[in-house]
Amino acid sequence: MSNVENLVGDWWPLPDVARLLDVSITKVHSLLDERALAALRVGERKIRSVPAGFIQDGQVVDSLKGTIVVLADAGYSDEDLIVWLFTPDESLRGRPIDALREGRKTEIRRRAQTLAW
């Protein structure tokens, strides 16, 4: 297992994401293209998967898309931005993804924007 796989922990293969969101697999691919989600090839079979933490109550975490866009604009690859979102930060009392899931998007976006400078 790679470091990012261990850091994230739970992953959903794209067909499972489609089932969880109650959408077609084509829609999941659109969400990835729109930067509403990010995915990596993980596991022994290198299956394209989304961190389970990106899904909450049957939906994509509300403020995830804007945060992914900000990080991507700062030059972060999908792997880089997933690592950033899932790395614990003492000043946040948790991980950026946890703060997003709690609705604290302004704080996370501000931090993400500073990475571009």
Side-chain angles (χ1 to χ4, degrees):
M1 256 190 170
S2 72
N3 288 338
V4 69
E5 288 179 68
N6 288 327
L7 183 64
V8 171
D10 295 325
W11 295 82
W12 292 112
L14 299 189
D16 290 348
V17 173
R19 182 182 49 76
L20 288 166
L21 298 177
D22 195 27
V23 298
S24 69
I25 190 72
T26 306
K27 177 62 178 172
V28 174
H29 287 280
S30 292
L31 291 169
L32 290 165
D33 292 341
E34 296 164 8
R35 309 297 283 160
L37 285 173
L40 295 176
R41 294 192 178 276
V42 298
E44 189 175 302
R45 294 179 28 216
K46 299 296 181 200
I47 296 171
R48 198 166 180 210
S49 301
V50 170
F54 285 178
I55 311 295
Q56 183 177 29
D57 301 326
Q59 297 182 356
V60 176
V61 170
D62 184 45
S63 53
L64 183 62
K65 180 178 181 175
T67 304
I68 288 175
V69 169
V70 169
L71 291 167
D73 287 351
Y76 278 50
S77 67
D78 282 358
E79 183 171 352
D80 293 337
L81 67 87
I82 289 170
V83 167
W84 186 81
L85 285 164
F86 284 85
T87 299
D89 182 330
E90 287 184 26
S91 67
L92 283 173
R93 299 173 315 279
R95 307 171 302 174
I97 189 63
D98 299 326
L100 289 176
R101 291 171 62 91
E102 294 166 3
R104 297 173 18 218
K105 82 173 183 183
T106 304
E107 179 179 9
I108 300 308
R109 294 259 176 88
R110 219 178 286 130
R111 289 171 184 241
Q113 287 170 337
T114 63
L115 298 172
W117 305 105

